[in-house]
Amino acid sequence: MDETAATVEAEVAMLLRLAGRPTQPASGLEGSLDRSAYLILGLLLAERSESVNAIADHLRLDASTVTRQVIALETAGHVTRRRCADDGRSTIVEPTPAGLAALDATRAARSVVYDDVLADWSHTDRQALATLLARLNAALDDRARKVSAGAARQPAPLGDA
């Protein structure tokens, strides 16, 4: 790994740690959606409804993990679940008005935090950060898809004979 890649890796690790802190007490974000709820509801806002498998694919998670998260969202009144009319095995998830309101409130609260953090940054720097983060996420997502596709093509290991 070259020095720049090592620095990016370390900075992303720190970013993930620090970005998780806004839900700590006195952050102004108490009661906000957790990361998984935020991401699922954000996807549902864009798509209006999705199957559990489509959500899992989009977020690069196992369907069983998404099912647990969706059940928690349903318990909180943020989504509804129903069987797919075309395929009774699939579960379709839809946001509720309360879920969309919680997403909106969380986005607004997070925007206040990031407006504060980036207050001394120029508009150009803010735009560059947004562009580069989107590019990094797209590259990470592309890599995850390629790794998953490669793993799916690998033959299963032979058992001990």
Side-chain angles (χ1 to χ4, degrees):
M1 175 182 318
D2 74 28
E3 186 176 320
T4 302
T7 301
V8 169
E9 182 281 324
E11 291 299 331
V12 168
M14 184 58 77
L15 173 67
L16 294 173
R17 187 183 75 71
L18 293 172
R21 294 184 57 91
T23 58
Q24 299 294 321
S27 68
L29 295 178
E30 297 86 1
S32 291
L33 295 169
D34 67 27
R35 185 179 351 193
S36 64
Y38 182 79
L39 292 172
I40 290 171
L41 284 168
L43 176 62
L44 293 175
L45 174 66
E47 302 298 328
R48 296 310 297 166
S49 68
E50 278 289 0
S51 70
V52 167
N53 288 335
I55 295 168
D57 181 57
H58 180 81
L59 298 177
R60 304 288 162 258
L61 295 170
D62 185 77
S64 63
T65 299
V66 171
T67 297
R68 285 190 302 274
Q69 294 168 343
V70 165
I71 290 170
L73 282 166
E74 184 180 41
T75 300
H78 293 151
V79 301
T80 59
R81 294 183 302 154
R82 62 178 168 78
R83 289 282 175 208
C84 177
D86 297 334
D87 177 3
R89 298 171 296 164
S90 296
T91 299
I92 301 298
V93 183
E94 297 176 324
T96 63
L100 294 176
L103 177 63
D104 189 49
T106 298
R107 281 185 170 171
R110 287 180 175 199
S111 289
V112 168
V113 169
Y114 283 96
D115 280 344
D116 182 49
V117 168
L118 300 172
D120 295 336
W121 291 41
S122 71
H123 179 72
T124 301
D125 284 350
R126 285 178 177 218
Q127 284 184 315
L129 177 63
T131 299
L132 291 171
L133 286 173
R135 185 175 169 191
L136 177 62
N137 280 331
L140 288 168
D141 187 51
D142 185 53
R143 183 179 189 283
R145 284 185 189 275
K146 287 177 183 173
V147 169
S148 290
R153 289 192 299 267
Q154 295 294 323
L158 297 175
D160 292 331

